[in-house]
Amino acid sequence: MKKTATRLADGRELIYYDAHDDTVRDAVDPRPLDPIATSSEIRHDRLLGDRVAVASHRQGRTYHPPADECPLCPSREGRNSEIPAADYDVVVFENRFPSLAGDSGRCEVVCFTSDHDASFADLTPEQAALVLEAWTDRTAELAGLPSVEQVFCFENRGKEIGVTLGHPHGQIYGYPFVTPRTQLMLRSLAEHRERTGRNLFDDVVADEVADGRRIVLEGEHWIAFVPYAAHWPYEVHLYPKRRVPDLRDLDEGARTEFPQMYLELLQRFDRIFDGRGGGKEGAGEPPTPYIAAWHQAPFSVADRGEFALHLELFTIRRTSGKLKFLAGSESGMNVFINDVPPEAAAERLREVASE
């Protein structure tokens, strides 16, 4: 991998990640951009103990532009985008409309490919491996910022999720605090250690292996399963078999196997509802909307090694043409009601294995 860092016209950082060491990245951003002005503010909810990012400047962000005006495509034919180069492998840049900025953290955009009509599931294993390298590198870089306590790499896919740009991309948030969901995991982790003397993540994976009914996919270095208490209709958790706190600690075997495992899971998600799949728009049911979320250990917590890096992949579609909405119980009281038994979801995901 070759990494080339540069700056956009308004001073934001942009980084190219290339598969070939001889690639030259010297294109400049000719756009007459004003310096970014953000109003991001972190507010503390005294009743719940969590935090809310207030970012009014995001009201002006780009919203569903036509394909020929996509800001994440390469700059070509006289049209300048967020990426000055005429082509690219993987690109990461600072978000022009960040939810978190300055002392309140950092937000980055990750473009998985220059192909506007593709999806992550369409990538080759080599391309997916390069994205993994970019996620890992950004985790390492953001870990060095005093304003960042936890790094969250994720992808939102589909208009149903709320995606406003159709180009295949994800995001990286550098939070200045430990997120509420991670706080709950850390609390359960500590309680389990005190009660049993064992690691909770290890026991969860071992219990799923022993049961077997919810295992979706297993390799030499990774295992994927629908969790026993899945919140979402189709939800898969992907764990490296060797527990590590974050992406930086994956060994070579896990890095090599990850692309095949992850691409297979994404392709199965696209086949859940119509049996044909295909990441691109076209035949049958539209591509499955999903969220893919990497959970990594915060940087300043004690015993970081107790935390287990894992990826959670889930869709809000519960059946063909129908979505799972977060209504009264979920939104009002945070009590999820799942219409699809986890065992049935796992069976379906095994059925749609690629040939």
Side-chain angles (χ1 to χ4, degrees):
M1 178 193 78
K2 181 181 180 181
K3 175 182 175 183
T4 306
T6 185
R7 294 280 174 178
L8 295 173
D10 54 11
R12 287 176 294 138
E13 187 176 22
L14 180 143
I15 305 145
Y16 295 98
Y17 293 89
D18 288 294
H20 301 290
D21 291 338
D22 59 352
T23 303
V24 176
R25 298 296 184 187
D26 55 7
V28 297
D29 182 6
R31 298 174 298 172
L33 297 179
D34 294 327
I36 58 172
T38 64
S39 56
S40 180
E41 176 187 1
I42 303 296
R43 296 190 179 184
H44 178 246
D45 186 322
R46 291 184 292 173
L47 290 180
L48 298 180
D50 60 11
R51 295 170 176 82
V52 176
V54 179
S56 60
H57 62 276
R58 285 176 53 79
Q59 289 279 34
R61 66 188 185 274
T62 308
Y63 187 81
H64 294 303
D68 60 357
E69 296 179 14
C70 175
L72 306 185
C73 286
S75 294
R76 295 173 179 164
E77 300 173 355
R79 192 188 68 82
N80 297 309
S81 72
E82 288 280 68
I83 296 93
D87 203 358
Y88 62 84
D89 291 343
V90 175
V91 166
V92 176
F93 61 87
E94 289 184 75
N95 198 327
R96 186 166 173 80
F97 303 96
S99 303
L100 310 166
D103 293 337
S104 297
R106 178 164 166 131
C107 290
E108 300 180 341
V109 177
V110 185
C111 298
F112 303 137
T113 172
S114 60
D115 184 353
H116 180 86
D117 296 317
S119 72
F120 201 119
D122 297 317
L123 301 183
T124 66
E126 293 74 21
Q127 289 174 305
L130 187 59
V131 175
L132 177 61
E133 288 300 311
W135 284 331
T136 304
D137 181 73
R138 297 317 301 156
T139 297
E141 289 289 330
L142 296 183
L145 297 181
S147 62
V148 173
E149 172 58 28
Q150 183 176 4
V151 174
F152 178 44
C153 306
F154 65 101
E155 180 192 2
N156 299 326
R157 205 278 281 272
K159 292 181 180 179
E160 300 92 333
I161 297 293
V163 174
T164 58
L165 296 176
H167 196 101
H169 73 287
Q171 299 179 68
I172 301 175
Y173 277 17
Y175 292 106
F177 52 82
V178 180
T179 61
R181 188 174 177 85
T182 304
Q183 290 276 24
L184 291 176
M185 291 184 192
L186 292 172
R187 185 181 71 185
S188 297
L189 184 65
E191 291 174 351
H192 188 81
R193 173 63 76 181
E194 182 177 356
R195 186 173 64 253
T196 69
R198 299 191 303 270
N199 181 275
L200 176 59
F201 289 107
D202 292 350
D203 282 359
V204 165
V205 174
D207 289 346
E208 290 295 347
V209 171
D211 184 289
R213 291 176 296 166
R214 292 176 294 276
I215 300 296
V216 175
L217 193 61
E218 183 172 4
E220 181 181 354
H221 301 279
W222 295 85
I223 186 165
F225 56 86
V226 177
Y228 173 76
H231 288 57
W232 300 94
Y234 291 91
E235 175 180 345
V236 174
H237 293 190
L238 177 64
Y239 279 76
K241 290 185 175 180
R242 183 179 71 89
R243 171 165 42 94
V244 296
D246 62 40
L247 289 164
R248 297 174 295 177
D249 297 304
L250 289 174
D251 59 28
E252 196 60 35
R255 292 186 182 281
T256 300
E257 187 179 74
F258 172 77
Q260 292 84 357
M261 292 283 291
Y262 187 46
L263 291 172
E264 174 65 21
L265 285 177
L266 293 180
Q267 289 159 13
R268 291 190 191 194
F269 261 58
D270 273 335
R271 288 192 291 269
I272 293 173
F273 301 107
D274 66 0
R276 287 177 288 178
K280 299 182 180 182
E281 298 282 357
E285 189 82 13
T288 301
Y290 65 72
I291 293 174
W294 280 108
H295 291 264
Q296 306 194 81
F299 299 124
S300 65
V301 297
D303 300 323
R304 287 189 80 243
E306 286 283 290
F307 194 89
L309 167 76
H310 63 284
L311 184 142
E312 298 184 6
L313 172 68
F314 59 90
T315 178
I316 62 171
R317 186 176 290 163
R318 56 188 175 87
T319 189
S320 182
K322 297 179 180 178
L323 300 179
K324 162 69 177 177
F325 292 101
L326 299 189
S329 185
E330 291 89 353
S331 295
M333 297 302 285
N334 201 28
V335 177
F336 276 68
I337 301 168
N338 190 352
D339 299 332
V340 181
E343 294 75 17
E347 182 178 6
R348 177 60 181 153
L349 285 163
R350 289 192 297 267
E351 289 174 350
V352 297
S354 60
E355 299 179 356

